[in-house]
Amino acid sequence: MAVDQEQLQQIVTAVVAKLQAERKAPETTLGIFEEMNDAIAAAKEAQKVMQKMPMDFREKILTNIRKKSHDHAEILAKMAVEETGMGNVGDKILKHHLLAERTPGTEDITTTAWSGDRGLTLIEMGPFGVIGAITPCTNPSETILCNSIGMIAGGNTVVFCPHPAAIQTSQYAIRLVNEASIEAGGPANVAVSVRKPTMEASKVMMAHKDIPLIAATGGPGVVTSVLSSGKRGIGAGAGNPPVLVDDTADISKAAKDIVNGCTFDNNLPCIAEKEVVAIDSIADELIYHMVEEGCYVASKEEQDKLVATVLTPKGLNRKCVGRDAKTLLAMIGVTVPEQIRCIIFEGPKEHPLISEELMMPILGIVRAKDIDDAIEKAVWLEHGNRHSAHMHSKNVENLTKFGKAVDTAIFVKNAPSYAALGFGGEGFCTFTIASRTGEGLTSASTFTKRRRCVMSDSLCVR
Ligand code: NAD
C-alpha cells in the first residue's frame, strides 16, 4: 500500500505523540492508581518492604524527601497558587523550606525502658502499617510532604485522599515522595493516591480493612466523618484563632506581629490570627499601628459589602478564600494603594466577619473593658475548637489566665502565629495540628503504636 507524504506525516506525528505520552507516564503516575483498593494494596506491599529495612534506611528516604521539598519548593508553590487560586507563592516557598528542615524524622521515635530483678521491659513505638491521610487544599503539598516524613519515619506507608481542588499539586508531591524512596533504593508506593480523589474513594479508604489509622487534616466535616468511621482517627480540624492584646503589651510590636501573622500566605494557615480582642484602653493605639503596618479600615458600608461577597448561605465563598486584601477590596469596588495587605474594622464578637473562620486577611477588632472581659470574648470566638490562640502581653498572670481558659493546642505569646510552626519560634514543624483529638502538633511518634516487649529475668546488668 502506497503512503503519501501527508499520511506519512500523520503517522510520524501520532508515533511521536505516543512516545512522548509514554515517556511522561511514569512521571505523572508514580504512586497514583485508578482504584483506591489497588492503591491500598500497593501501599501494603511497600510497607512490608519498609518494615524489613533498618531505621537508617528510612532516614535515607527522609533525607531525599527533604531535599526534594527544598528543590521543588518554587514549582510546588506556583502550582498550588495556580491550581487552587489561593495563597501566595513567596510564603508557600517558605513553608516548603520550613517543613524540609524542621519536620522530625526517626529521632522522634524513642523507647521507654524498665529494668530490674524481673528482667527488661521496653515500650517500642512500632508502625501502624498503611495510614490513611486526608489532606486540605490550603496547604496541599506541605501537608503531603510533612505527613509523609512523619509517617515513613514511623515505618508506615500512606494512602492520601487529597482535596479535589488541589489534585495536580498533591499528586506532584506524592510523586516526589516515591522518587525519594526509589532513589534511596527503597520501594515505590510508599505514598499513594487515586487519579480522581472523590468522596467515594475516601469512603472506600476509611472502610478498608488494611487501614488501621486515619489522619484527617481539614474542616469540621472531614474530622467528624473520620471520627465516625470506627477506625482510630487523628482529627486535625478547623480553628478560628483569636489574638488578645492587653494593656501591658508592646503595642507597636503587637500590631506588626499580628499583621505579619494574619497576612502570611493570605491567612490560609489554620493557626493564623483570625480576629483581635483588644482591651479598650489600648485599642485606638493598636489600630493606629496596624494602619501603619498596611491595614485598610473598612467603613460600615464596606463591611456589609464584604459580608455579602465573602459569605454565602452555604458558607464561605471559595473565590475569596486565600485571596489578598487588595483583591478582596477590588471585589467590592474599592481600589487601594500597593502597600495595603490587611482589612480591619471594629465590631462586636458576633459580627459574621469576626465569628466565622474566613481564611482571608480580614481582621475584625473586638473591644473588651478589661482582661476578664477580653478572655471571655476570645474564648467564645475560639468556639471550643481547642486549636490555636495568641496573646500579646507582658503580664504573666494574664498570659497564664488566658492560656488556661482557652485550652488550645497552640498558644503563641508575643510573636506572629507562625512562630508555632517554627518560624521565629523554637520547636518542630507540622501542618497537621490534631486539635480535636488532642495529639496537638503531630510528628513521627504520633504515627506509631506502643508495643510492650518483655524479657523476663534477663538482660538487666545493674
Ligand atoms: P475541607 O474540610 O474542605 O477539606 C479537607 C479534606 O477533607 C479534603 O481532602 C476534602 O476532600 C475532605 N473532605 C471534606 N469533607 C469530607 C467528608 N465529609 N468526608 C470525607 N472527606 C471530606 O478543608 P480545606 O478547605 O481543604 O481546608 C481548610 C480547613 O481545614 C479549615 O477549616 C482549616 O482550619 C482546616 N485545617 C486544619 C489544619 C490542622 O492542622 N488542624 C490544617 C490545615 C487546615
Side-chain angles (χ1 to χ4, degrees):
M1 184 183 77
V3 177
D4 68 22
Q5 191 63 26
E6 196 180 334
Q7 282 172 319
L8 189 63
Q9 187 59 44
Q10 279 171 359
I11 291 166
V12 170
T13 308
V15 169
V16 169
K18 187 164 180 285
L19 286 175
Q20 274 174 346
E22 277 170 4
R23 212 171 49 224
K24 271 190 190 156
E27 269 190 16
T28 49
T29 57
L30 194 52
I32 307 302
F33 293 77
E34 285 300 317
E35 298 292 334
M36 180 52 84
N37 285 322
D38 294 340
I40 295 172
K44 192 178 173 188
E45 285 308 307
Q47 205 272 329
K48 282 185 197 158
V49 180
M50 178 87 81
Q51 199 153 15
K52 291 190 188 124
M53 289 173 168
M55 300 268 279
D56 276 357
F57 202 91
R58 288 185 211 164
E59 266 306 319
K60 280 190 190 153
I61 299 175
L62 302 188
T63 302
N64 283 355
I65 300 178
R66 293 180 200 284
K67 182 168 185 319
K68 285 177 187 291
S69 302
H70 269 305
D71 293 351
H72 294 253
E74 191 172 339
I75 186 164
L76 284 165
K78 283 184 177 158
M79 204 183 248
V81 171
E82 202 166 295
E83 187 177 14
T84 66
M86 301 192 295
N88 69 68
V89 173
D91 292 340
K92 284 191 188 294
I93 290 175
L94 290 176
K95 290 201 282 186
H96 285 84
H97 291 316
L98 182 76
L99 83 87
E101 281 154 30
R102 307 270 300 255
T103 305
T106 54
E107 76 284 3
D108 193 52
I109 299 158
T110 52
T111 300
T112 310
W114 296 269
S115 71
D117 295 342
R118 299 277 76 81
L120 173 68
T121 293
L122 304 175
I123 300 285
E124 293 271 55
M125 309 303 280
F128 272 92
V130 184
I131 298 178
I134 304 180
T135 55
C137 54
T138 47
N139 309 308
S141 44
E142 297 92 320
T143 310
I144 284 172
L145 293 165
C146 191
N147 277 181
S148 295
I149 291 175
M151 290 171 185
I152 292 170
N156 309 282
T157 55
V158 48
V159 50
F160 284 106
C161 295
H163 195 290
I167 296 176
Q168 301 306 323
T169 315
S170 302
Q171 291 183 349
Y172 190 101
I174 290 168
R175 196 188 87 205
L176 292 182
V177 173
N178 286 307
E179 284 177 358
S181 177
I182 292 165
E183 285 165 22
N189 303 322
V190 293
V192 297
S193 187
V194 286
R195 194 168 58 81
K196 273 196 188 160
T198 57
M199 286 291 180
E200 212 37 58
S202 274
K203 280 191 194 143
V204 172
M205 184 277 279
M206 284 195 247
H208 199 287
K209 65 175 178 32
D210 290 330
I211 303 289
L213 171 67
I214 306 167
T217 309
V222 62
V223 174
T224 302
S225 160
V226 164
L227 296 184
S228 320
S229 68
K231 297 283 175 72
R232 172 151 189 225
I234 294 173
N240 188 38
V243 50
L244 196 161
V245 187
D246 81 5
D247 47 0
T248 68
D250 177 338
I251 304 300
S252 65
K253 179 178 183 303
K256 188 182 179 114
D257 287 351
I258 291 170
V259 179
N260 283 343
C262 169
T263 53
F264 185 71
D265 205 15
N266 297 346
N267 200 245
L268 283 179
C270 52
I271 60 161
E273 293 84 348
K274 300 283 192 285
E275 63 278 333
V276 181
V277 179
I279 290 183
D280 192 34
S281 57
I282 52 86
D284 290 336
E285 191 185 346
L286 182 69
I287 292 167
Y288 168 83
H289 287 291
M290 288 177 86
V291 170
E292 294 280 290
E293 287 297 328
C295 289
Y296 175 84
V297 184
S299 66
K300 174 78 182 68
E301 190 192 339
E302 287 161 352
Q303 291 167 41
D304 292 344
K305 282 189 187 165
L306 281 170
V307 171
T309 306
V310 308
L311 294 170
T312 73
K314 285 188 180 164
L316 292 180
N317 176 356
R318 283 274 165 185
K319 291 196 177 112
C320 299
V321 174
R323 289 341 190 247
D324 62 30
K326 282 193 294 293
T327 306
L328 293 168
L329 286 166
M331 285 179 179
I332 60 162
V334 176
T335 310
V336 289
E338 198 52 36
Q339 75 270 19
I340 293 299
R341 53 184 182 135
C342 186
I343 303 165
I344 59 171
F345 64 96
E346 278 190 55
K349 68 181 190 316
E350 295 81 8
H351 192 294
L353 296 179
I354 297 179
S355 64
E356 293 281 323
E357 184 202 27
L358 296 181
M359 296 181 283
M360 47 193 97
I362 299 179
L363 211 44
I365 298 162
V366 180
R367 280 183 195 249
K369 62 179 189 299
D370 56 28
I371 185 67
D372 291 324
D373 185 32
I375 290 175
E376 198 181 314
K377 285 179 164 135
V379 169
W380 184 88
L381 282 161
E382 214 277 321
H383 302 313
N385 291 320
R386 306 283 194 273
H387 192 299
S388 297
H390 316 297
M391 184 163 174
H392 293 267
S393 170
K394 288 180 187 150
N395 180 324
V396 287
E397 280 168 28
N398 287 353
L399 287 163
T400 311
K401 217 192 241 187
F402 182 43
K404 278 192 178 180
V406 76
D407 191 24
T408 44
I410 286 174
F411 181 32
V412 174
K413 298 144 201 108
N414 300 326
S417 52
Y418 47 67
L421 299 182
F423 275 127
E426 292 297 332
F428 65 87
C429 165
T430 183
F431 287 92
T432 296
I433 297 139
S435 41
R436 270 186 57 190
T437 45
E439 293 85 352
L441 284 85
T442 58
S443 60
S445 57
T446 319
F447 306 117
T448 56
K449 62 184 181 193
R450 297 162 69 88
R451 303 184 62 197
R452 179 176 281 219
C453 308
V454 180
M455 173 58 135
S456 180
D457 296 335
S458 295
L459 289 182
C460 171
V461 293
R462 284 198 282 161

